[in-house]
Amino acid sequence: MERRSFIKKAAVGASAGAVVTPALAQSLPTINWRLASSFPKTLDTIYGAADTFVKRVSQLTGGKFNIRVFAGGEIVPGLQVLDAVQAGTVECGHSASYYYFGKDPTFAFDCAVPFGLTSRQHTAWYEQGGGRELTREFFKGYGVINFLGGNSGTQMGGWFRKEIKSVADLKGTKMRIGGFAGKVLERLGLVPQQLAGGDIYPALEKGTIDAAEWVGPYDDEKFGFYKVAPYYYYPGWWEAGASFSFYVGLKEWEKLPKEYQAAIEVASYEAHVVMQAEYDARNPTALASLQKKGVKLRAFPKDILEASYKAATDVMNEEAAKNAKFAKIYEPWKQFRKEQNLWASVAESSMQNFLISTVRGGK
């Protein structure tokens, strides 16, 4: 498919509301699909990516291809979206692939791994660094084709009831965190806990857990975690750029006219870009609001970051040694990360650090 050519044409036609011409639309079938989201409507930025996606698909096909979005739990539980698409319960889904870490840790490369790629770097890897080809080959084994579906940017490191000053303070800390991050932090003595989003606040309030990670200022403020866990740490090194994905069942994908396939490609990419823009626009205001409410913003101490990096590297190397699918993506991904960080350190990072210090200095 000449995807990039279609995107250019779509950009011209989007303002008119449709890319498929009326004459062509008459010859194309009317199709109705269901999309299962992993997310509640209260996470409006993440859940909203699916709304953006389905609206654009309809517009790009002259109203002939319509997809209805169902929030997590309405058709299947949020953590079973991949299974629902694979089984054909729904034609498509919107999820975070690291939710399926338990099936195979390789899924995490489609979303985020510890000390991984930033939002822009992940998009570059997917678009230009072989990520699309590698992840789609992996997803093919599950009867699914994956598309970029949004990114949160670098997330926060979570809410803590007490201050964390060293690695020693992590020992015995019960934290709501899972997947790769939980496996890594377990090696530092932390006790990972699996909790649904709605159960986090009461668990923190009662002291059942000592800490919890969620997303970032915009989403976290709405949950009120600051009322029961005043220390807000950064960065969330396990999610340098958490990328979300749209899933389409391969059998359903292959039935679609090429015009509808192209519409999915274009609409998913637009939803991907819009989500990141929304988070970048909303998080600064939310963070300022949280600080006014007395939140104690803290950076993870260097020894915690260094110990976490070492443990993360060990965990990933061990997984690569026993999991051929993981290793096939990990090795080229690791080289891409190295090259990206070298480039980022030259121009953008130095410029950004200068601006940050200047703005904070009130100049």
Side-chain angles (χ1 to χ4, degrees):
M1 180 188 301
E2 295 179 355
R3 178 175 176 275
R4 290 173 179 80
S5 174
F6 185 87
I7 289 175
K8 291 178 181 178
K9 294 176 182 177
V12 175
S15 61
V19 170
V20 175
T21 64
L24 179 57
Q26 293 298 318
S27 66
L28 292 172
T30 296
I31 294 178
N32 296 300
W33 276 9
R34 298 190 303 172
L35 182 152
S37 172
S38 285
F39 313 104
K41 293 179 182 179
T42 50
L43 284 176
D44 57 311
T45 305
I46 298 178
Y47 177 87
D51 280 337
T52 300
F53 170 67
V54 302
K55 287 175 184 176
R56 296 302 285 139
V57 167
S58 179
Q59 290 172 341
L60 291 166
T61 58
K64 299 295 290 286
F65 186 9
N66 297 292
I67 305 172
R68 183 180 175 188
V69 181
F70 292 85
E74 290 185 344
I75 295 180
V76 294
L79 301 184
Q80 293 179 21
V81 168
L82 176 69
D83 305 82
V85 176
Q86 184 181 12
T89 305
V90 293
E91 292 83 3
C92 56
H94 185 229
S95 190
S97 294
Y98 63 7
Y99 288 165
Y100 312 104
F101 177 89
K103 294 179 182 291
D104 190 324
T106 309
F107 276 107
F109 285 110
D110 191 53
C111 181
V113 297
F115 296 97
L117 304 174
T118 65
S119 174
R120 279 178 53 192
Q121 290 171 346
H122 181 87
T123 299
W125 175 68
Y126 185 89
E127 286 288 326
Q128 301 291 327
R132 176 190 288 107
E133 293 76 14
L134 286 167
T135 57
R136 284 190 176 176
E137 180 183 354
F138 173 73
F139 273 90
K140 189 175 182 180
Y142 291 82
V144 171
I145 182 170
N146 59 308
F147 302 84
L148 291 173
N151 200 299
S152 68
T154 302
Q155 296 191 9
M156 292 294 284
W159 299 88
F160 289 74
R161 288 162 54 90
K162 65 178 183 179
E163 195 165 6
I164 302 296
K165 297 181 179 180
S166 68
V167 173
D169 291 333
L170 292 176
K171 293 180 180 178
T173 296
K174 291 175 290 183
M175 182 176 182
R176 185 271 183 192
I177 193 168
F180 249 135
K183 197 170 183 180
V184 170
L185 285 167
E186 198 168 24
R187 296 196 175 193
L188 303 185
L190 183 139
V191 184
Q193 305 287 306
Q194 299 283 355
L195 287 175
D199 296 329
I200 297 174
Y201 185 94
L204 281 170
E205 186 177 35
K206 295 174 184 176
T208 307
I209 59 174
D210 307 301
E213 65 86 31
W214 190 231
V215 184
Y218 177 71
D219 290 322
D220 292 11
E221 184 178 26
K222 289 181 287 187
F223 278 74
F225 300 138
Y226 62 91
K227 298 175 184 178
V228 289
Y231 295 97
Y232 198 22
Y233 277 85
Y234 65 91
W237 46 261
W238 47 89
E239 291 171 306
S243 190
F244 303 90
S245 298
F246 291 108
Y247 305 146
V248 175
L250 268 176
K251 291 180 180 178
E252 296 298 329
W253 172 256
E254 290 167 355
K255 294 177 188 176
L256 290 175
K258 66 180 186 302
E259 292 85 359
Y260 290 6
Q261 290 181 342
I264 285 178
E265 292 270 11
V266 172
S268 63
Y269 199 81
E270 180 173 330
H272 177 71
V273 173
V274 168
M275 183 196 291
Q276 181 62 85
E278 288 177 339
Y279 271 120
D280 283 344
R282 296 172 181 178
N283 275 328
T285 302
L287 181 60
S289 173
L290 285 168
Q291 288 182 288
K292 288 179 181 178
K293 293 174 180 175
V295 167
K296 300 172 183 178
L297 200 59
R298 297 286 189 273
F300 280 125
K302 187 177 181 182
D303 72 316
I304 288 181
L305 291 176
E306 290 176 341
S308 298
Y309 181 78
K310 182 182 183 304
T313 302
D314 289 344
V315 168
M316 293 181 76
N317 285 339
E318 289 166 13
E319 185 63 34
K322 64 184 180 183
N323 184 339
K325 293 178 181 178
F326 185 93
K328 186 171 184 177
I329 296 180
Y330 181 47
E331 292 306 323
W333 174 91
K334 190 164 52 172
Q335 180 61 29
F336 186 87
R337 180 184 63 173
K338 178 181 178 181
E339 293 170 355
Q340 285 292 303
N341 287 330
L342 284 172
W343 163 232
S345 69
V346 173
E348 186 159 349
S349 179
S350 58
M351 182 66 179
Q352 197 68 40
N353 288 337
F354 170 77
L355 286 172
I356 290 170
S357 62
T358 300
V359 171
R360 280 188 174 176
K363 298 177 183 178

